[in-house]
Amino acid sequence: MAKAPARQSAEPPTPNRERPAEPQPYQASKDELLRFYKDMLLIRRFEEKAGQLYGLGLIGGFCHLYIGQEAVAVGLQSALDGDKDSVITGYRDHGHMLAYGIDPKVIMAELTGREAGISRGKGGSMHMFSTEKKFYGGHGIVGAQVSLGAGLAFKHKYSGDGGVCMAYFGDGAANQGQVYEAFNMAELWKLPVIFVIENNQYAMGTSVNRSSAEDQLYRRGESFRIPGIQVDGMDVLACRGAADTALEWVRAGKGPVILEMKTYRYRGHSMSDPAKYRSREEVQAVRDKSDPIEHVKRLLAEAGVDEAELKTIESETRKVVNESADFAEQTPEPEPAELYTDVLVETY
């Protein structure tokens, strides 16, 4: 009997699909460099203070610090339009909130479970929101924020408000199934969303090279025709340049884009993680060679900013952080009745 002819692919691969231009490092003015430095330093000192308060028992539950990754949130979010663009992330969220201009006092109050916290003391470290600032969390379920981010992008497109959603997730969440369902819908509907993979190398405690068959995470959208760009996440100017390129692509109606930010966290996954899966020498080597704040300090020195001005910024930043901690310690805890509020949007 004759063999049936082999089936032909309905559509051959398209190797020359359009993709964004290769990002260039942002050409920052002296004032912009100072802004980046101040914003990253605020996150660093705030997170260090949060670690201290956790050690004193003033912060309970989980607490995931952002120390080392400051350039990602500051660089990317400096390119957003705060009046129309939205941000959503996972549970390592304090840095993203600070980078979007949210008051350190209400963030620290939330960390310590106080009534004045941004979620009235009920969310804690992992569940903070500010609909006024278009910051939608703070999510404890790994990868859940990605599909929610696609939903935010759908809202932007449906309402025609011109906004873009920046949806962050980590290298660990990059292996979650719902991430790829979101990718598929986002490309089908050409949603205005930038998927940001903060690849800090270790997820909870396993190297990305051991846990991911494809460890070049910017390629993860190829089967959905979503272009990806790999970025030096320890360089705030590279981050800002990549954000500008991605925003230009998305705002032109070309659909989503993936940014893989190669970054590094200096602390463990959470405050309860001793981080024995890597050596102290490895962490110190990254601090010595690639620290994002020290990098900008060197650029500022080249731009003529003297040590005295940097010391003044350091002093002012510590004052802001200490005031946020004092505020958090002095404000009351929520009343028990607060447990029954915000359960439903409306009263039934």
Side-chain angles (χ1 to χ4, degrees):
M1 187 170 66
K3 287 185 178 180
R7 292 185 63 186
Q8 298 297 312
S9 173
E11 184 178 346
T14 312
N16 297 318
R17 281 200 299 266
E18 185 185 9
R19 55 174 287 111
E22 193 63 28
Q24 299 302 311
Y26 184 67
Q27 299 299 309
S29 67
K30 178 180 171 181
D31 287 344
E32 287 174 316
L33 275 176
L34 280 168
R35 182 75 263 162
F36 293 152
Y37 177 72
K38 290 175 182 177
D39 289 348
M40 289 194 294
L41 190 64
L42 174 62
I43 295 172
R44 177 73 58 90
R45 299 295 176 249
F46 183 95
E47 294 289 71
E48 288 170 348
K49 177 62 73 172
Q52 292 172 12
L53 296 183
Y54 190 94
L56 293 170
L58 294 170
I59 295 175
F62 291 101
C63 184
H64 305 81
L65 302 181
Y66 201 61
I67 296 171
Q69 300 181 215
E70 297 90 351
V72 176
V74 170
L76 295 185
Q77 287 167 229
S78 68
L80 296 181
D81 184 331
D83 292 328
K84 61 184 179 182
D85 295 330
S86 57
V87 173
I88 190 167
T89 187
Y91 40 75
R92 197 182 305 277
D93 56 357
H94 321 149
H96 304 84
M97 299 190 80
L98 291 166
Y100 223 30
I102 297 172
D103 185 354
K105 289 182 178 178
V106 298
I107 301 174
M108 195 69 85
E110 187 60 39
L111 283 169
T112 54
R114 305 301 171 124
E115 185 179 13
I118 200 163
S119 296
R120 298 183 187 173
K122 298 186 292 185
S125 170
M126 301 189 351
H127 303 285
M128 292 193 262
F129 295 79
S130 174
T131 53
E132 294 79 13
K133 290 282 190 177
K134 294 183 171 54
F135 182 88
Y136 294 96
H139 292 272
I141 303 300
V142 176
Q145 74 275 16
V146 181
S147 46
L148 293 171
L152 288 167
F154 182 85
K155 182 267 179 187
H156 287 308
K157 183 167 185 175
Y158 188 77
S159 63
D161 62 15
V164 171
C165 176
M166 188 166 276
Y168 292 88
F169 58 106
D171 46 297
N175 293 323
Q176 290 284 327
Q178 60 190 314
V179 170
Y180 299 94
E181 294 182 58
F183 283 1
N184 189 51
M185 287 187 282
E187 176 59 25
L188 274 174
W189 299 336
K190 299 294 182 185
L191 298 182
V193 56
I194 299 172
F195 295 111
V196 180
I197 306 175
E198 293 194 84
N199 182 359
N200 63 26
Q201 318 295 320
Y202 285 99
M204 283 187 71
T206 304
S207 166
V208 65
N209 311 107
R210 293 179 57 212
S211 59
S212 297
E214 174 55 271
D215 60 7
Q216 302 300 301
L217 302 182
Y218 72 98
R219 296 175 178 169
R220 289 295 185 93
E222 287 183 359
S223 62
F224 303 98
R225 302 189 176 186
I226 300 175
I229 301 169
Q230 193 173 67
V231 185
D232 180 359
M234 303 299 277
D235 182 346
V236 71
L237 300 182
C239 295
R240 173 59 188 267
D244 287 339
T245 297
L247 284 164
E248 182 181 0
W249 174 271
V250 173
R251 292 201 200 281
K254 296 180 179 180
V257 65
I258 293 170
L259 298 179
E260 181 194 0
M261 316 304 291
K262 294 296 290 291
T263 185
Y264 198 87
R265 55 173 167 79
Y266 298 160
R267 301 289 185 93
H269 170 71
S270 69
M271 287 297 296
S272 59
D273 173 17
K276 292 182 178 179
Y277 41 83
R278 58 185 182 178
S279 68
R280 290 183 179 180
E281 290 75 18
E282 176 186 313
V283 178
Q284 191 59 47
V286 176
R287 278 185 176 270
D288 293 341
K289 296 176 183 177
S290 304
D291 186 80
I293 296 174
E294 292 300 318
H295 173 59
V296 174
K297 277 182 75 171
R298 290 191 291 272
L299 296 177
L300 287 169
E302 293 169 8
V305 176
D306 60 28
E307 190 67 27
E309 186 172 354
L310 294 178
K311 285 183 178 178
T312 299
I313 293 170
E314 174 76 43
S315 177
E316 291 171 348
T317 301
R318 288 187 182 277
K319 181 181 178 184
V320 168
V321 170
N322 289 334
E323 286 175 351
S324 73
D326 292 341
F327 174 79
E329 290 183 52
Q330 292 165 10
T331 54
E333 294 182 354
E335 295 292 330
E338 188 64 46
L339 286 169
Y340 301 99
T341 65
D342 302 319
V343 178
L344 299 173
V345 174
E346 300 175 14
T347 301
Y348 292 91

